[in-house]
């Protein structure tokens, strides 16, 4: 595989872009609204999807989500991207743009978590923008949330030993030696809209910022819709509590293409001998668990 470059210039609209790619499973039911488009959908098609949802998607401020075209450079706080979502529900969206396409769809699957992440940004963004400081100098928690919102996955398992292999960066043991256990007892759920975008043109080196969740065994007997609801509820609670994930290093690096079926080449054992991708970890750092999630200190 080649290294990553700008996705939008490489991948034209394709109504079957997700074919054979497990990473798109959380969003796949939403794609049916766009299968009939031979060319890029216009923004009114996005708004139609929002309007047709059984329950309106809203921010923590209570604003109903709506699609608006991307505008010019903001000149005050309320015009910036996150505040416009929070205050007015306005998601600035570019046409013919995979990144923004996946950003919208992720709100349908993780509405509680997306609303919490957006709300956490607001007071910190206001302090930066209205305080006259460096607008781009975000706090550690903002950086962590942005990394997860863009490139995050959730790893859910009832088997603590599998989660420990991820903490310990023991990739070959996880993905190869215990390969037969993963389908039944480890769920890799893509969260970040940039991660979905990268999946259009996957490349060796594609690594997610993951949150590890210990779940009950009955999780794996649930439907996908039920699993996603559990994850959304858990993530929203974790981020609202604000005591587990407070900086980027609290997220666990996860080489997503190691997941069985996520890359056709990983059916060969030697795939996992690539130390440039399946890197040894930061073992000198302390790992601890809080409320079923993992944090690195």
């Amino acid at each position: 595989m080649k290294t990553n470059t700008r996705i939008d210039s490489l991948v034209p609209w394709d109504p079957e872009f997700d074919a054979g790619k497990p990473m798109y499973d959380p969003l796949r039911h939403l794609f049916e609204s766009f299968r009939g488009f031979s060319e890029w959908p216009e923004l009114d098609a996005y708004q139609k999807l929002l309007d047709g949802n059984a329950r309106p998607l809203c921010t923590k401020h209570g604003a109903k989500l709506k699609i608006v075209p991307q505008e010019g450079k903001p000149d005050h706080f309320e015009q910036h991207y996150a505040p416009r979502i929070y205050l007015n529900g306005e998601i600035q969206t570019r046409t013919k743009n995979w990144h923004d396409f996946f950003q919208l769809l992720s709100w349908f699957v993780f509405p509680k978590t997306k609303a919490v992440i957006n709300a956490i940004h607001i007071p910190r963004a206001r302090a930066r923008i209205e305080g006259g400081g460096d607008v781009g100098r975000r706090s550690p928690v903002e950086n962590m949330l942005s990394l997860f919102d863009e490139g995050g996955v959730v790893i859910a398992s009832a088997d603590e030993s599998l989660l420990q292999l991820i903490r310990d960066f023991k990739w070959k043991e996880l993905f190869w030696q215990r390969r037969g256990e993963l389908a039944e007892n480890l769920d890799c759920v893509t969260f970040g809209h940039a991660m979905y975008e990268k999946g259009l043109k996957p490349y060796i080196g594609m690594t997610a910022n993951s949150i590890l969740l210990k779940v009950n065994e009955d999780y794996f007997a649930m439907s996908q819709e039920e699993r996603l609801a559990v994850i959304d509820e858990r993530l929203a609670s974790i981020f609202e509590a604000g005591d587990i994930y407070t900086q980027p290093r609290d997220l666990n690096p996860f080489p997503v293409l190691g997941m069985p079926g996520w890359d056709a080449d990983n059916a060969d054992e030697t795939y996992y001998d690539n130390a440039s991708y399946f890197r040894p970890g930061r073992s000198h750092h302390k790992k601890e668990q809080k409320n079923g999630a993992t944090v690195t200190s």
Side-chain angles (χ1 to χ4, degrees), residues 26-270:
L27 304 184
R28 207 178 302 278
H29 65 288
L30 297 166
F31 300 156
E32 298 310 313
S33 297
F34 302 98
R35 299 292 189 201
F37 288 88
S38 58
E39 301 291 340
W40 263 102
E42 297 296 331
L43 296 188
D44 59 352
Y46 297 1
Q47 185 61 51
K48 183 178 179 180
L49 186 66
L50 278 171
D51 294 341
N53 203 43
R55 179 179 297 178
L57 300 179
C58 298
T59 70
K60 295 290 284 184
H61 188 65
K64 183 179 176 181
L65 294 187
K66 61 180 71 71
I67 298 297
V68 297
Q70 187 183 46
E71 297 181 357
K73 186 176 180 179
D75 57 17
H76 58 84
F77 170 73
E78 288 78 8
Q79 290 182 346
H80 281 258
Y81 182 79
R84 282 190 68 176
I85 295 176
Y86 180 76
L87 296 170
N88 303 314
E90 296 175 343
I91 303 180
Q92 296 184 75
T93 305
R94 295 165 290 188
T95 58
K96 300 181 181 180
N97 187 282
W98 287 108
H99 191 87
D100 290 3
F101 176 71
F102 291 125
Q103 162 73 310
L104 169 63
L105 297 188
S106 65
W107 273 91
F108 285 86
V109 182
F110 306 105
K112 294 180 179 179
T113 306
K114 294 287 286 189
V116 167
I117 290 174
N118 171 248
I120 291 173
H121 279 297
I122 299 307
R124 294 164 176 84
R126 185 187 293 275
R128 284 198 319 279
I129 294 167
E130 296 182 347
D134 183 352
V135 174
R137 191 174 181 81
R138 297 183 298 188
S139 65
V141 69
E142 288 177 279
N143 285 330
M144 179 277 298
L145 289 170
S146 294
L147 285 171
F148 183 75
D149 193 28
E150 293 272 345
V153 301
V154 175
I155 310 296
S157 182
D159 188 333
E160 178 60 34
S161 68
L162 293 176
L163 297 178
Q164 190 60 46
L165 292 176
I166 298 171
R167 299 183 195 111
D168 293 338
F169 295 74
K170 294 183 177 179
W171 306 120
K172 192 166 186 178
E173 184 175 349
L174 174 72
F175 292 129
W176 189 258
Q177 296 172 14
R178 301 188 65 178
R179 194 178 190 85
E181 303 173 45
L182 301 187
E184 300 296 328
N185 206 6
L186 189 136
D187 200 11
C188 180
V189 179
T190 313
F191 183 96
H193 49 284
M195 187 58 56
Y196 282 114
E197 183 186 15
K198 289 178 179 179
L200 297 170
K201 203 82 173 176
Y203 59 96
I204 296 299
M206 186 172 151
T207 302
N209 299 293
S210 75
I211 286 178
L212 311 185
L213 291 182
K214 181 71 180 298
V215 295
N216 296 326
E217 292 184 1
D218 59 0
Y219 170 91
F220 290 92
M222 296 178 180
S223 67
Q224 183 182 63
E225 182 180 5
E226 292 170 327
R227 292 187 192 188
L228 292 172
V230 167
I231 289 173
D232 189 32
E233 186 74 42
R234 291 274 299 275
L235 287 179
S237 296
I238 287 169
F239 288 144
E240 278 192 312
D243 60 344
I244 301 177
Y245 293 92
T246 61
Q247 58 185 333
R249 69 186 294 110
D250 293 338
L251 301 168
N252 290 265
F254 189 77
V256 291
L257 296 186
M259 286 294 295
W262 286 45
D263 183 352
D265 294 338
N266 75 24
D268 189 313
E269 180 179 359
T270 59

